Amino acid sequence: RLPVSAQELSINFKLQGAQGAARETPDKYLPHAQTCFFSLALPSYSTKEIMREKILYAIKNSPNMDADVRLHNAEGWADS
């Protein structure tokens, strides 16, 4: 469970550079977040505007944020 305020959070947020092909052509890739590990892999975008667009797109369009809900509602979940 997360604490009520950021000051109570004992885990540091980690910002990393992108890996693989996202290093070669960063403007073609979205940032990659690992919320369980409080980390964000952020490509070195060519402009702040491209970075802003990519981050907002990822926030608004990520289907993975609801993965826990889909797993809990999946067939056989209640049986385990």
Side-chain angles (χ1 to χ4, degrees):
R1 168 166 247 167
L2 287 174
V4 176
S5 69
Q7 291 77 18
E8 296 174 13
L9 187 63
S10 61
I11 300 172
N12 292 325
F13 184 79
K14 186 165 129 183
L15 185 61
Q16 310 177 103
Q19 301 296 315
R23 292 181 72 141
E24 304 301 319
T25 52
D27 290 348
K28 294 182 178 181
Y29 291 88
L30 294 171
H32 179 82
Q34 292 182 309
T35 55
C36 294
F37 300 105
F38 293 90
S39 70
L40 177 67
L42 191 63
S44 296
Y45 296 115
S46 59
T47 68
K48 287 183 183 180
E49 183 58 30
I50 291 173
M51 179 177 66
R52 181 180 184 280
E53 289 173 10
K54 297 290 186 177
I55 290 173
L56 290 176
Y57 182 87
I59 290 169
K60 293 177 183 179
N61 294 286
S62 175
N64 296 328
M65 288 304 294
D66 295 325
D68 287 342
V69 174
R70 286 194 304 273
L71 285 175
H72 290 292
N73 293 332
E75 185 178 328
W77 176 261
D79 299 336
S80 57

